[in-house]
């Protein structure tokens, strides 16, 4: 290693002052050129495996050819001088002259090969390394970070299981018996039913997990959050506030109106609002108003969570005309959700959760809002 280091130093920074300066300037220009190329590729949003591989091969070939053109003549002169000195030391015999001539011819023939083989070999190495690297990146795990959009397909793959989320033994048993690896919350009193996600393949990069107040604050600080929907959405609103540190959110209070909006200001910087909108037409009206109040093309909210369906199934789904009107409203609501996304808001639609049909407390609900009825709404 020491000898190799000395050899590289001699090649890159020779003892000749002029050659050393020329070599240093060439290296700086080369590095700056590669940085500029990378900047241009990134600005053009072309940072893919194919583009990086193509740029590496083209720039590498140009760099190699530039080095060869600038050093090949000097190298040939040095080789010939060394040979002449060697011939002078050994004597000029006829046999030796013949051998040297044959060697020079062979070297001349090898020049073309020596110029074209290294770029081809280098291109093959870059190709193999690129494909290997891409394989590791697409099929392997990575550090925990923001989930890619493809995780939408797995976010509902899980179940409510009874266990103590703060106990390692219970967590291990849940993993072995239920194939779950991450949990929606960790309740200190234990013995609760909590949401658990099924384990996903590492290449999906979908590593779900519960977020504590510190993590949530880091993400939502100075953001504007709104929940729009029915009682299911309100329950999600209350659960979200509890994760954000509001321990009593959602607690039963008979003195408060049942169907009303709620506003909470968290950490003094983050408004989290719930708008009571049980029907699809109500959700459409609230969302349309929010979009109409956008400023400079940005919606008034950074995160919008909508949910509904139960009240629609109960009150406006009895006739064909009701169902057609509901379908038309959902199309308009979908358009408004897309409009919110175009105004830089994150939009989440809450699918109606499972209905406990036996717990429905009125005849009307048991006739129109059973789990099998809601299953048709979800589809």
């Amino acid at each position: 290693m020491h000898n190799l280091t000395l050899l590289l130093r001699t090649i890159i920074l020779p003892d000749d002052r002029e050659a050393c300066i020329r070599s240093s300037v060439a290296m700086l220009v080369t590095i700056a050129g590669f940085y500029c190329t990378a900047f241009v590729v990134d600005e053009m949003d072309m940072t893919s495996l194919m583009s990086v591989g193509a740029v590496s091969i083209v720039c590498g070939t140009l760099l190699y050819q530039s080095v060869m053109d600038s050093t090949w003549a000097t190298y040939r002169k040095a080789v010939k001088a060394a040979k002449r000195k060697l011939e002078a030391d050994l004597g000029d015999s006829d046999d030796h002259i013949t051998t040297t001539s044959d060697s020079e011819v062979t070297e001349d023939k090898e020049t073309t090969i020596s110029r074209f083989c290294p770029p081809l070999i280098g291109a093959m190495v870059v190709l193999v390394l690129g494909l290997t690297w891409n394989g590791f990146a697409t099929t392997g795990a990575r550090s925990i970070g923001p989930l890619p959009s493809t995780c939408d397909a797995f976010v509902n793959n899980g179940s409510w299981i009874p266990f103590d989320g703060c106990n390692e033994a219970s967590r291990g048993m849940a993993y072995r018996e239920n194939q779950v690896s991450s949990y929606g919350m960790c309740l200190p009193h234990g013995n609760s039913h909590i949401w658990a996600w099924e384990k996903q393949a590492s290449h999906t990069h979908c590593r779900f997990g519960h977020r504590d107040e510190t993590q949530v604050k880091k993400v939502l600080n100075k953001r504007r959050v709104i929940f729009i929907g029915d009682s299911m959405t309100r329950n999600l609103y209350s659960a979200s506030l509890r994760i954000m540190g509001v321990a009593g959110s959602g607690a039963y209070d008979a003195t408060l109106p049942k169907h009303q909006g709620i506003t909470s200001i968290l950490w003094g910087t983050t408004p989290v609002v719930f708008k009571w909108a049980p029907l699809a037409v109500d959700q459409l009206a609230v969302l349309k108003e929010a979009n109409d109040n956008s400023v400079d093309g940005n919606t008034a909210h950074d995160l919008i969570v909508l949910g509904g369906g139960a009240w629609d199934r109960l009150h406006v789904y009895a006739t064909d005309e009701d169902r057609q009107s509901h379908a038309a409203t959902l199309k308009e609501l979908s358009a408004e959700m897309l409009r919110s996304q175009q105004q830089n808001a994150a939009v989440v639609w809450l699918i109606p959760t499972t209905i406990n049909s036996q717990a429905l407390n009125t005849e009307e609900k048991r006739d129109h809002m059973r789990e099998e009825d809601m299953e048709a709404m979800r589809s």
Side-chain angles (χ1 to χ4, degrees):
M1 183 63 71
H2 177 69
N3 292 335
L4 178 61
T5 302
L6 291 178
L7 178 61
L8 291 176
R9 189 203 68 81
T10 303
I11 295 174
I12 298 174
L13 301 173
D15 294 333
D16 187 335
R17 179 182 177 84
E18 182 179 348
C20 182
I21 294 175
R22 186 168 59 249
S23 179
S24 300
V25 172
M27 286 191 295
L28 291 174
V29 171
T30 301
I31 294 173
F34 274 100
Y35 266 102
C36 291
T37 303
F39 176 79
V40 171
V41 171
D42 184 60
E43 285 296 311
M44 296 176 63
D45 196 22
M46 297 175 59
T47 51
S48 64
L49 176 65
M50 295 296 294
S51 62
V52 172
V55 169
S56 300
I57 292 173
V58 172
C59 292
T61 302
L62 293 176
L63 177 61
Y64 168 79
Q65 192 60 45
S66 299
V67 172
M68 290 295 293
D69 291 342
S70 61
T71 61
W72 187 255
T74 304
Y75 165 76
R76 294 293 295 157
K77 291 179 181 178
V79 170
K80 290 180 180 180
K83 285 183 178 180
R84 284 195 295 268
K85 182 178 180 181
L86 180 62
E87 290 173 356
D89 292 340
L90 297 177
D92 295 329
S93 62
D94 292 339
D95 293 339
H96 182 67
I97 292 174
T98 303
T99 302
T100 302
S101 299
D102 292 342
S103 177
E104 289 180 353
V105 171
T106 303
E107 287 171 358
D108 289 336
K109 290 182 179 179
E110 290 176 349
T111 299
T112 302
I113 298 176
S114 65
R115 290 196 176 195
F116 284 99
C117 278
L120 294 176
I121 295 174
M124 293 176 61
V125 170
V126 169
L127 179 62
V128 172
L129 290 178
L131 292 176
T132 303
W133 183 11
N134 183 66
F136 287 150
T138 55
T139 61
R142 65 181 179 187
S143 60
I144 297 177
L147 298 175
S149 59
T150 53
C151 292
D152 288 350
F154 311 113
V155 71
N156 291 319
N157 292 353
S159 58
W160 291 95
I161 62 174
F163 92 125
D164 183 355
C166 302
N167 183 280
E168 287 298 327
S170 181
R171 292 168 70 93
M173 185 178 298
Y175 176 78
R176 291 188 296 272
E177 295 181 358
N178 297 286
Q179 315 303 307
V180 294
S181 59
S182 53
Y183 310 93
M185 62 190 73
C186 172
L187 300 177
H189 52 75
N191 299 322
S192 302
H193 284 74
I194 71 168
W195 178 260
W197 286 280
E198 296 177 1
K199 184 179 180 182
Q200 303 301 328
S202 59
H203 66 82
T204 64
H205 303 153
C206 298
R207 302 176 65 180
F208 300 103
H210 101 272
R211 304 288 190 267
D212 58 27
E213 181 183 353
T214 301
Q215 293 172 310
V216 175
K217 181 178 180 180
K218 183 178 179 181
V219 175
L220 294 182
N221 191 30
K222 298 182 180 179
R223 304 277 186 170
R224 298 154 300 177
V225 184
I226 185 171
F227 289 74
I228 305 170
D230 55 12
S231 55
M232 292 183 185
T233 310
R234 184 180 57 209
N235 291 338
L236 178 60
Y237 169 83
S238 299
S240 300
L241 287 183
R242 290 195 293 272
I243 293 177
M244 299 176 195
V246 184
S249 178
Y252 180 74
D253 189 345
T255 64
L256 295 176
K258 187 176 181 181
H259 301 147
Q260 67 171 4
I262 309 172
T263 299
S264 299
I265 306 296
L266 301 184
W267 316 302
T269 61
T270 305
V272 183
V273 178
F274 168 72
K275 290 286 189 179
W276 173 252
L279 299 174
V281 291
D282 301 325
Q283 297 148 23
L284 175 61
V286 174
L287 185 57
K288 190 175 187 305
E289 180 182 1
N291 289 334
D292 291 341
N293 292 334
S294 62
V295 179
D296 296 331
N298 294 315
T299 185
H301 305 282
D302 298 294
L303 172 61
I304 301 174
V305 181
L306 302 103
W311 278 55
D312 292 291
R313 186 64 181 81
L314 181 62
H315 295 294
V316 293
Y317 214 73
T319 65
D320 291 339
E321 184 179 355
D322 288 340
R323 287 189 284 271
Q324 292 174 0
S325 176
H326 178 65
T329 302
L330 289 180
K331 288 182 179 180
E332 292 185 57
L333 182 59
S334 176
E336 288 296 330
M337 292 170 65
L338 179 59
R339 182 182 169 196
S340 296
Q341 290 179 320
Q342 294 172 344
Q343 294 178 352
N344 301 318
V347 181
V348 178
W349 175 257
L350 173 62
I351 299 174
T353 55
T354 302
I355 297 293
N356 184 358
S357 301
Q358 294 179 343
L360 296 174
N361 56 9
T362 67
E363 190 66 29
E364 184 183 18
K365 289 182 178 180
R366 287 190 290 271
D367 287 341
H368 301 288
M369 210 171 70
R370 298 168 301 171
E371 170 56 23
E372 48 267 39
D373 299 323
M374 294 306 302
E375 184 61 33
M377 294 292 289
R378 297 186 191 103
S379 61

